[in-house]
Amino acid sequence: MTLTIPHPYDDGMAEEWIKTHPAAFKEGKDVNFAIALRNTDALCGAIGLGINQDHNHAELGYWIGKPYWGQDYCTEAAKEVLRYGFQVLGVHRICATHFPRNPASGRVMQKIGMKLEGYRRQHVLKWGKYEDIIDYGILKSDWQMNLQG
């Protein structure tokens, strides 16, 4: 889901992106949440689900500001977004991808119970370069079993 984030990210782009959230939520296409610092509630990232209603699944995407990497903000938020996706939205499956050059993102996926599903070579064109992506996914039934075990 972060594949479409432009670079450079100019002033005003975040506000324009945020303005799209109400309509996308109302249409059942996306749900986005802010990730805030525990002590101050200052924004440190964002997380969301891109919803595919036809197939009853969603794609998880997130970003965290560099100063907050490695502090479990993303893992904590991702666990809650899985819960929201399965319990509130009622999706059957949630998937996510990451670039091989970002193994920390893959570790988040593993920590929340997602399973490695594949490696797609040169699958996307990002900023003029073909990039590999690594696929993860989790079914609602697997998520429920993880809660019990």
Side-chain angles (χ1 to χ4, degrees), residues 50-111:
I51 303 162
N52 183 318
Q53 293 179 2
D54 292 338
H55 299 289
N56 197 29
H57 65 217
E59 182 178 0
L60 175 69
Y62 45 80
W63 63 265
I64 296 288
K66 284 185 182 182
Y68 312 106
W69 288 4
Q71 298 178 39
D72 283 331
Y73 283 104
C74 197
T75 300
E76 183 179 330
K79 284 179 182 176
E80 185 58 25
V81 170
L82 281 189
R83 185 203 62 76
Y84 183 87
F86 290 131
Q87 290 186 340
V88 177
L89 299 178
V91 298
H92 174 70
R93 168 184 158 71
I94 297 175
C95 64
T97 62
H98 74 90
F99 295 116
R101 61 182 150 75
N102 186 4
S105 188
R107 284 192 296 279
V108 169
M109 295 170 198
Q110 293 165 7
K111 285 190 221 177

Side-chain angles (χ1 to χ4, degrees), residues 1 16-17 32 34 37 39 44 53 55 57 62 65 68 72-73 78 88 98 106 112 118-120 123-124 130 142 144:
M1 297 229 337
E16 290 302 313
W17 175 66
N32 290 287
L37 297 177
N39 297 332
C44 68
Q53 293 179 2
H55 299 289
H57 65 217
Y62 45 80
Y68 312 106
D72 283 331
Y73 283 104
V88 177
H98 74 90
I112 64 172
Y119 190 105
R120 291 186 272 171
H123 186 71
V124 296
Y130 288 101
D142 294 335
Q144 290 169 323

Side-chain angles (χ1 to χ4, degrees), residues 2-67:
T2 59
L3 180 64
T4 58
I5 295 175
H7 181 76
Y9 201 73
D10 297 325
D11 283 344
M13 289 178 136
E15 290 83 0
E16 290 302 313
W17 175 66
I18 291 168
K19 287 178 187 176
T20 68
H21 294 180
F25 180 77
K26 186 176 180 180
E27 294 168 13
K29 293 180 180 178
D30 292 314
V31 60
N32 290 287
F33 302 96
I35 300 174
L37 297 177
R38 291 178 189 96
N39 297 332
T40 66
D41 288 336
L43 180 71
C44 68
I47 190 165
L49 294 170
I51 303 162
N52 183 318
Q53 293 179 2
D54 292 338
H55 299 289
N56 197 29
H57 65 217
E59 182 178 0
L60 175 69
Y62 45 80
W63 63 265
I64 296 288
K66 284 185 182 182

